[in-house]
């Protein structure tokens, strides 16, 4: 009679249940795995044979058929080694069948029978919790990560023989204790706003962006401090909530960019090179993988030399900037990945970079400047809330230095503003003002008559689109939060409009 063991497949960053069915039949020795396995799953046959032999466990010398169901989901990776081995041992009668079938197994087998960590265990644990799985058996290195999901008992496995001893009650494995989420650590960065001389307008813009999760475009000549300012941005970002920390860790775990069992305690800061392709930014592949926009979820995506990115790649950013997610469609299926990030872009004002430098002569003709500006489309610029000019800093002032506000002080203001937002928005399932939908604005962001008149006049003068006007209101709400105000005032709207003036709509 076939034995069935529960496991899981990663689809994007989410887990989907998979039943591992093993059948032992009379016939010549043969080992077949069906159910859309990829090459790494097919290779598990040799790992399982050797692991059982070296662990002192019997391997049936007959016909073995393993089915990974449902058969319409592609299976990849080595995480099926452990459930396939357990299913074969149960089907062959080498170990007793467990009375409680509501158990889930994941893990890669080494040739000596030890169990190696795999990617995406947090996603699998969260899925198991949602589906009411009683017991979750994972590699020892992944146990801490798995216990972040509540409502499921986690057992850490170091070897296949240890697991068999647990099944036969020769040596009981103790349940892993739930691991509390750590507090967010201060961002590990050497850059501090106190080290940036001047640039008070740019600092103010980045403070507003950090407080409300808004997008920023910094424009200025080479050496004006655009990159230094952006590199210092993580030092003023607010602490993640518990929900955000789980979201970010889930993505990092599924993508394999953190050590097994680690927890993301800092907001992501991603800075891809301008040669990155559209797939690298958005994600994709035959088995859809997260791109930079998803890896930057709840953090910052920094695009330096903004116009130098391929235009097709930049245009792919329009949907995630608007919707907060990206949809990847392939022949194998459609995957929706989260992408709620702050876009911080930096660019020169022209190809040579000196169009706005008072001390350098620009070598570009008007046609070249216009062509350079057209590399970024109007619809993409429309989705950027703060357009900031970063002027050249006088070298004498730079060397003399000055007393500048530290990141720690700014971060306190940002955290206070973010706390106000969270209290107001948590019932809507969002965290920042930038995430507010149009339907929420009328209720959460009412404008007094003078602020409303000011916005209408500015929209007509600057030819703002409806999207840009909505983003001005969201920006004004964040400025009011930084100011500690319950309502939006005309001064808040005026400052928000100021950040749209330089590039129009």
């Amino acid at each position: 009679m076939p034995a069935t063991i529960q496991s899981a497949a990663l689809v994007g960053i989410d887990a989907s249940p998979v039943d591992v069915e093993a059948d032992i039949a009379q016939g010549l020795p043969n080992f077949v795995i069906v159910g859309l396995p990829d090459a790494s799953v097919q290779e598990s046959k040799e790992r399982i044979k050797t692991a059982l032999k070296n662990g002192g466990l019997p391997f049936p010398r007959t016909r073995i058929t393993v089915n990974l169901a449902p058969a319409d989901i592609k299976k990849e990776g080595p995480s099926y080694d452990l459930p396939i081995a357990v299913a074969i041992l149960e089907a062959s009668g080498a170990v007793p069948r467990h009375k409680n079938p509501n158990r889930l197994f994941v893990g890669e087998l080494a040739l000596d029978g030890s169990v190696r960590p795999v990617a995406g265990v947090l996603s699998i644990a969260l899925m198991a919790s949602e589906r009411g799985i009683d017991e979750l058996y994972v590699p020892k290195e992944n146990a801490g990560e798995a216990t972040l999901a509540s409502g499921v008992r986690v057992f850490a496995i170091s070897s296949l023989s240890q697991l068999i001893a647990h099944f036969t009650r020769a040596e009981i494995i103790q349940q892993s204790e739930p691991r509390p989420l750590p507090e967010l650590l201060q961002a590990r960065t050497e850059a501090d706003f106190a080290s940036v001389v001047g640039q008070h307008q740019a600092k103010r813009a980045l403070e507003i962006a950090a407080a409300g999760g808004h997008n920023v475009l910094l424009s200025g000549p080479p050496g004006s401090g655009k990159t230094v300012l952006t590199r210092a941005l993580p030092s003023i970002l607010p602490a993640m909530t518990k929900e955000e920390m789980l979201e970010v860790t889930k993505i990092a775990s599924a993508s394999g960019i953190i050590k097994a069992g680690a927890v993301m305690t800092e907001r992501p800061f991603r800075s891809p090179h301008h040669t990155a392709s559209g797939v690298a930014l958005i994600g994709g592949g035959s088995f859809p993988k997260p791109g930079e926009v998803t890896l930057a979820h709840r953090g910052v995506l920094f695009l330096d030399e903004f116009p130098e990115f391929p235009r097709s790649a930049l245009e792919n950013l329009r949907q995630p900037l608007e919707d907060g997610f990206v949809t990847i469609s392939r022949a194998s299926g459609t995957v929706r990945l989260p992408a709620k990030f702050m876009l911080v872009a930096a660019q020169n004002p022209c190809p040579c970079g000196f169009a706005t430098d008072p001390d350098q002569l620009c070598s570009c003709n008007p046609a070249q400047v216009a062509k350079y500006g057209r590399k970024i489309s109007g619809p993409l610029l429309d989705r950027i809330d703060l357009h900031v000019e970063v002027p050249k800093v006088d070298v004498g002032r730079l060397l003399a230095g000055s007393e500048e506000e530290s990141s720690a002080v700014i971060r306190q203001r940002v955290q206070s503003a973010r706390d106000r937002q969270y209290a107001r928005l948590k019932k809507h399932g969002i965290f920042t003002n930038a995430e507010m939908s149009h339907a929420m604005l009328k209720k959460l962001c009412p404008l007094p008559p003078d602020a409303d008149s000011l916005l209408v006049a500015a929209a007509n003068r600057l030819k703002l689109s409806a999207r840009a006007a909505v983003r001005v209101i969201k920006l004004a709400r964040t400025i009011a939060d930084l100011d500690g105000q319950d309502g939006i005032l005309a001064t808040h709207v005026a400052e928000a409009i100021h950040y749209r003036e330089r590039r129009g709509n």
Side-chain angles (χ1 to χ4, degrees):
M1 181 178 178
T4 301
I5 296 296
Q6 294 188 74
S7 189
L10 278 180
V11 182
I13 64 168
D14 294 315
S16 180
V18 170
D19 285 339
V20 178
E21 302 171 332
D23 182 68
I24 308 296
Q26 295 298 320
L28 295 175
N30 192 19
F31 190 176
V32 179
I33 300 178
V34 297
L36 284 184
D38 76 343
S40 62
V41 180
Q42 291 287 3
E43 289 173 354
S44 68
K45 292 185 286 188
E46 298 304 320
R47 291 194 297 271
I48 291 168
K49 286 181 184 177
T50 308
L52 289 176
K53 180 191 71 173
N54 291 333
L57 297 166
F59 184 82
R61 296 184 176 276
T62 181
R63 181 175 179 81
I64 304 171
T65 302
V66 173
N67 179 42
L68 307 178
D72 59 345
I73 296 178
K74 287 189 175 181
K75 322 303 188 304
E76 64 169 336
S79 63
Y80 301 100
D81 290 4
L82 184 62
I84 291 175
V86 174
I88 290 173
L89 290 172
E90 285 197 1
S92 64
V95 298
R97 301 198 182 206
H98 202 277
K99 295 179 180 178
N100 178 17
N102 202 17
R103 304 172 300 161
L104 191 147
F105 298 79
V106 291
E108 175 186 350
L109 288 177
L111 297 184
D112 62 356
S114 61
V115 181
R116 289 175 172 157
V118 294
V121 167
L122 179 55
S123 299
I124 294 170
L126 291 171
M127 182 273 293
S129 177
E130 292 171 1
R131 292 181 170 270
I133 300 294
D134 292 335
E135 299 175 359
L136 177 61
Y137 293 84
V138 300
K140 185 177 180 180
E141 291 86 344
N142 293 122
E145 178 184 344
T147 58
L148 295 176
S150 59
V152 59
R153 299 169 62 202
V154 176
F155 295 89
I157 308 302
S158 59
S159 68
L160 185 58
S161 57
Q162 179 197 26
L163 179 62
I164 302 306
H166 174 73
F167 287 163
T168 58
R169 307 192 69 81
E171 182 183 344
I172 301 299
I173 301 173
Q174 297 301 315
Q175 177 184 345
S176 297
E177 293 296 324
R179 176 181 180 182
L181 279 171
E183 295 300 321
L184 181 75
L185 302 177
Q186 177 67 36
R188 292 191 295 269
T189 175
E190 295 180 1
D192 191 287
F193 275 22
S195 64
V196 182
V197 176
Q199 304 297 9
H200 299 298
Q201 180 179 340
K203 290 179 181 178
R204 170 66 174 173
L206 291 176
E207 178 181 342
I208 295 169
H214 302 285
N215 305 317
V216 187
L217 174 62
L218 303 174
S219 179
S224 58
K226 304 183 297 295
T227 302
V228 173
L229 283 164
T230 306
R231 294 290 180 185
L233 180 59
S235 65
I236 68 168
L237 293 177
M240 285 192 286
T241 63
K242 302 298 184 183
E243 296 89 342
E244 288 177 310
M245 203 180 293
L246 277 176
E247 288 179 13
V248 173
T249 302
K250 176 180 174 180
I251 293 169
S253 172
S255 304
I257 62 174
I258 59 172
K259 184 179 179 181
V263 177
M264 292 287 286
T265 58
E266 301 173 7
R267 291 185 181 274
F269 184 93
R270 305 291 299 183
S271 180
H273 193 261
H274 59 76
T275 56
S277 66
V279 172
L281 287 178
I282 301 302
S286 55
F287 291 96
K289 300 293 185 182
E292 294 291 340
V293 296
T294 298
L295 298 176
H297 182 65
R298 300 298 179 191
V300 176
L301 177 64
F302 176 41
L303 302 184
D304 204 0
E305 306 297 341
F306 196 37
E308 302 302 330
F309 281 81
R311 178 162 180 149
S312 59
L314 292 181
E315 291 305 298
N316 289 336
L317 296 174
R318 287 160 61 173
Q319 185 214 356
L321 284 174
E322 190 71 21
D323 300 331
F325 62 86
V326 60
T327 303
I328 301 174
S329 296
R330 295 291 184 269
S332 58
T334 299
V335 175
R336 174 168 158 167
L337 301 172
K340 293 180 179 177
F341 59 92
M342 283 174 54
L343 172 65
V344 180
Q347 67 174 38
N348 296 326
C350 65
C352 78
F354 299 113
T356 59
D357 190 330
D359 302 320
Q360 295 280 351
L361 182 64
C362 177
S363 61
C364 306
N365 60 47
Q368 289 175 317
V369 175
K371 181 180 179 181
Y372 189 76
R374 286 195 298 270
K375 288 186 175 182
I376 312 299
S377 69
L380 183 55
L381 288 174
D382 213 30
R383 290 165 167 82
I384 298 178
D385 307 300
L386 299 103
H387 299 253
V388 184
E389 292 287 342
V390 184
K392 181 179 179 180
V393 178
D394 180 75
V395 175
R397 183 183 176 188
L398 181 65
L399 295 176
S402 62
E403 191 70 26
E404 300 288 341
E405 199 172 30
S406 70
S407 291
V409 174
I410 300 173
R411 192 171 190 257
Q412 288 178 355
R413 293 198 298 267
V414 169
Q415 186 65 61
S416 178
R418 189 65 73 92
D419 291 342
R420 293 175 66 89
Q421 290 171 62
Y422 185 64
R424 182 172 62 245
L425 300 172
K426 62 181 179 180
K427 62 182 177 182
H428 300 283
I430 59 177
F431 299 96
T432 64
N433 289 329
E435 298 175 65
M436 287 190 293
S437 66
H438 294 186
M440 297 178 190
L441 287 182
K442 192 169 184 180
K443 180 179 180 181
L444 299 177
C445 302
L447 297 180
D450 56 343
D452 188 74
S453 301
L454 178 62
L455 178 58
V456 171
N460 292 330
R461 177 172 61 87
L462 299 174
K463 302 296 187 292
L464 296 181
S465 66
R467 178 188 290 113
V470 165
R471 287 182 175 271
V472 167
I473 297 174
K474 295 179 183 180
L475 197 60
R477 178 62 266 177
T478 298
I479 296 170
D481 287 330
L482 281 168
D483 201 23
Q485 296 289 333
D486 292 330
I488 300 174
L489 305 179
T491 54
H492 303 142
V493 174
E495 184 176 0
I497 292 170
H498 169 71
Y499 293 111
R500 306 289 313 194
E501 290 191 39
R502 298 187 182 277
R503 297 300 297 260
N505 51 329

